[in-house]
Amino acid sequence: MANQKYYLKIFLLVGLGVGILSSAPILSLGSCCCRGSIAGGIFSSWLLCRWAEEPVDYGQGTLVGLFSGLVGGIIFSFFKALGFYLNPSSLKYSLERSFEFRGMEPPPELEQFLEQLTSALAHPLWIVLITSFFSLLIFAIMTALGGVLGVLIFEPRFAVKRTMKKPPQLTVSETKPAPPEPSEKTELYFPRKEKEEE
């Protein structure tokens, strides 16, 4: 397939953008992170539909969205694990902010659980494993869904542009064989008529 040569470029470009933007403190909340992942999947399908030389189906949109989400999830897990390792109380703070964003107050039992969890997750290996599991799962699902939506939105428009760029192909009935060229040049001789004597 001619579209496969664009896959790796889309994986790296969209995955890097989704991972870095989702790691930002403003977009690290649950709903914003999910929306960013869906937007990343839609953007990956837009790039594929724009660069593709052949028609793009829903399977290709799901594929580019899925692997873009996996790359973004790995980058997001790295930054989150690094932040939790440098500041263990940031896990508790991020969960409290997610409750505040939804207009809820965390129960006191949850605060005690979070304190025990932060002390248990002091080892960086546990942080990397837990954050990688959840982030890869969420990012992969959301970006795959965005990839399908992107193909549904953008492929009809880019399919029309692709057909306009292709030159029209002539059918067998429209093609006429060229007349054969003569092998030797022949000169015609026209004899002159003698004048009649008067």
Side-chain angles (χ1 to χ4, degrees):
M1 293 170 60
N3 300 336
Q4 288 181 351
K5 59 184 178 182
Y6 304 112
Y7 284 178
L8 183 60
K9 189 187 297 184
I10 295 173
F11 298 160
L12 298 177
L13 181 64
V14 179
L16 186 65
V18 169
I20 293 176
L21 291 177
S22 299
S23 303
I26 300 176
L27 299 177
S28 61
L29 299 176
S31 60
C32 294
C33 185
C34 293
R35 290 172 188 170
S37 301
I38 294 176
I42 293 174
F43 182 63
S44 65
S45 292
W46 178 78
L47 288 176
L48 181 63
C49 293
R50 183 179 181 183
W51 294 342
E53 301 170 1
E54 295 180 357
V56 180
D57 54 13
Y58 294 113
Q60 296 178 17
T62 307
L63 185 66
V64 294
L66 176 66
F67 281 94
S68 300
L70 292 176
V71 174
I74 292 171
I75 297 172
F76 176 80
S77 303
F78 172 75
F79 282 109
K80 281 299 176 183
L82 183 63
F84 292 154
Y85 178 70
L86 297 176
N87 187 12
S89 62
S90 62
L91 175 62
K92 179 182 176 182
Y93 177 70
S94 62
L95 289 175
E96 288 176 353
R97 283 191 63 191
S98 64
F99 274 97
E100 293 176 0
F101 181 76
R102 292 177 175 85
M104 301 168 59
E105 292 184 0
E109 296 83 5
L110 182 61
E111 293 183 358
Q112 295 177 0
F113 173 74
L114 290 177
E115 290 178 358
Q116 296 175 359
L117 184 63
T118 52
S119 61
L121 293 177
H123 198 278
L125 180 60
W126 285 109
I127 300 173
V128 171
L129 289 177
I130 293 176
T131 54
S132 298
F133 174 75
F134 286 104
S135 61
L136 288 177
L137 184 64
I138 293 172
F139 276 71
I141 293 173
M142 293 300 168
T143 50
L145 179 61
V148 175
L149 291 175
V151 173
L152 180 65
I153 296 170
F154 299 113
E155 174 58 18
R157 192 181 95 184
F158 285 105
V160 173
K161 290 186 177 181
R162 255 181 253 122
T163 54
M164 291 174 64
K165 287 182 181 179
K166 287 183 179 180
Q169 297 180 354
L170 298 176
T171 59
V172 179
S173 60
E174 293 177 351
T175 57
K176 295 181 179 179
E181 296 182 357
S183 57
E184 294 181 358
K185 292 183 178 180
T186 57
E187 294 181 357
L188 298 177
Y189 174 72
F190 295 98
R192 288 186 177 182
K193 202 173 186 181
E194 295 182 359
K195 293 182 179 181
E196 296 180 356
E197 294 181 359
E198 292 182 355

